[in-house]
Amino acid sequence: IGLLDYIVRTVREAGFEQDIWFVPVAINYDRVLEDRNLIRECLDPSLRHGRAHSFFATMQYLGFNTARLLTGQIKRYGRAAVNFGTPLSLRAWLADQPGDPLGLPKADRLPHVQRLADEVLARIAAVIPVTSVCLAAAALLSFDRDSIPLKEVLDRMRDYRDHLDESNAKVIRADRAIEDTWDRAMLMFRMRHTVHVENDRVIIMSRDRPLLEYYANAIRHLLPGSALPEGQLFSPAAHTDEIEAKYRLQPWESGKAVRR
């Protein structure tokens, strides 16, 4: 907010007659390389690893991928997608505000700058690309159990995709059969040892459920209200299994840097 405040006050400088435009850019991935580290930051402090563990885990990751690269076994990390939202004119936004918010003292001015930031964030959220991993993760978690018939998962993904299409959301390769979308998501799930399919049933690995939550939360705001009820993604009470409860994420709080 401080940096944004510094930028927007440029329009008050003498001789500055141009406008300032904010272009919403929404980026989403099938895999975020630092996802486990970001998830770990949301865990209870008593469950977080120390610096030594993080260092050795990083070295192990680098060594493992170097070996895969040298042996020709390294694989791609899925799809990355970007969308651009409707640009926001600062002068047009200021014209809709009462008085002269940028002329106020800093303490009184920053709440107005916060509203500007919220407007830009809302425009970004509206055009978040829906990747196959996010769509599949949301469908899996909506059942709130660890063993689900594959047909039910595909039906749920199809229902979600239809809803997203109707609401003009940016679904990546929405023209493909839902089975193709699932197969693409499974490439990532299999690589991460997050989901296993056996006898036409999908098995969610309890220990890695927060990883599914991380990706499902990227499109949570685009899904129907009943898709992922409030608190389901983060509530320990939603799963009584001791292992699952240990690895649940803490609730999201406004102003906290947790993936949305």
Side-chain angles (χ1 to χ4, degrees):
I1 301 302
L3 179 60
L4 184 60
D5 177 58
Y6 177 83
I7 293 172
V8 298
R9 294 191 71 204
T10 305
V11 299
R12 294 181 56 83
E13 295 182 0
F16 187 88
E17 298 179 354
Q18 298 97 324
D19 198 354
I20 296 177
W21 290 85
F22 297 97
V23 182
V25 181
I27 307 175
N28 204 3
Y29 306 87
D30 275 336
R31 179 176 180 181
V32 178
L33 294 182
E34 65 273 23
D35 51 15
R36 294 187 188 276
N37 289 332
L38 295 173
I39 290 171
R40 192 172 295 116
E41 293 175 3
C42 301
L43 293 173
D44 186 276
S46 63
L47 299 176
R48 299 176 189 174
H49 298 305
R51 292 183 178 180
H53 183 281
S54 298
F55 174 78
F56 285 113
T58 301
M59 293 300 100
Q60 183 182 30
Y61 174 83
L62 292 175
F64 176 70
N65 281 280
T66 299
R68 293 171 62 196
L69 177 64
L70 295 176
T71 58
Q73 296 180 349
I74 197 165
K75 299 179 180 178
R76 295 181 178 182
Y77 286 148
R79 187 184 300 274
V82 58
N83 282 321
F84 299 89
T86 304
L88 176 63
S89 162
L90 176 60
R91 293 194 183 277
W93 184 84
L94 289 172
D96 293 335
Q97 307 304 309
D100 181 17
L102 298 186
L104 298 173
K106 185 175 183 179
D108 298 325
R109 184 175 68 247
L110 289 185
H112 294 276
V113 180
Q114 176 69 63
R115 284 198 293 274
L116 173 62
D118 291 341
E119 171 65 22
V120 176
L121 286 174
R123 296 191 182 203
I124 293 173
V127 293
I128 284 287
V130 180
T131 67
S132 57
V133 167
C134 292
L135 181 62
L140 288 170
L141 290 175
S142 69
F143 290 97
D144 196 26
R145 61 183 187 269
D146 286 346
S147 177
I148 315 131
L150 177 58
K151 182 181 182 305
E152 293 186 22
V153 175
L154 295 177
D155 289 342
R156 186 64 52 86
M157 288 178 62
R158 191 175 291 107
D159 290 342
Y160 283 178
R161 189 182 64 180
D162 290 345
H163 169 84
L164 292 166
D165 285 340
E166 291 173 1
S167 59
N168 202 31
K170 310 301 181 181
V171 182
I172 305 304
R173 299 307 301 266
D175 57 321
R176 287 186 172 182
I178 202 65
E179 290 81 4
D180 292 338
T181 302
W182 169 255
D183 289 341
R184 178 170 290 275
M186 272 302 300
L187 290 175
M188 291 294 103
F189 292 155
R190 194 176 296 113
M191 184 185 300
R192 312 300 300 281
H193 306 289
T194 306
V195 173
H196 176 67
V197 177
E198 183 176 351
N199 298 326
D200 290 330
R201 295 192 69 87
V202 181
I203 311 299
I204 300 174
M205 303 295 108
S206 298
R207 184 185 182 91
D208 282 326
R209 178 177 286 269
L211 202 60
L212 293 180
E213 297 178 12
Y214 176 84
Y215 288 97
N217 210 30
I219 62 169
R220 183 182 186 183
H221 62 289
L222 298 174
L223 296 174
S226 60
L228 298 172
E230 186 67 28
Q232 179 170 340
L233 287 183
F234 298 108
S235 173
H239 299 273
T240 57
D241 184 88
E242 181 179 351
I243 296 178
E244 290 181 2
K246 179 179 179 181
Y247 289 95
R248 302 301 290 174
L249 299 183
Q250 291 178 329
W252 180 84
E253 298 176 3
S254 179
K256 198 172 182 179
V258 177
R259 179 179 173 89
R260 294 193 58 185

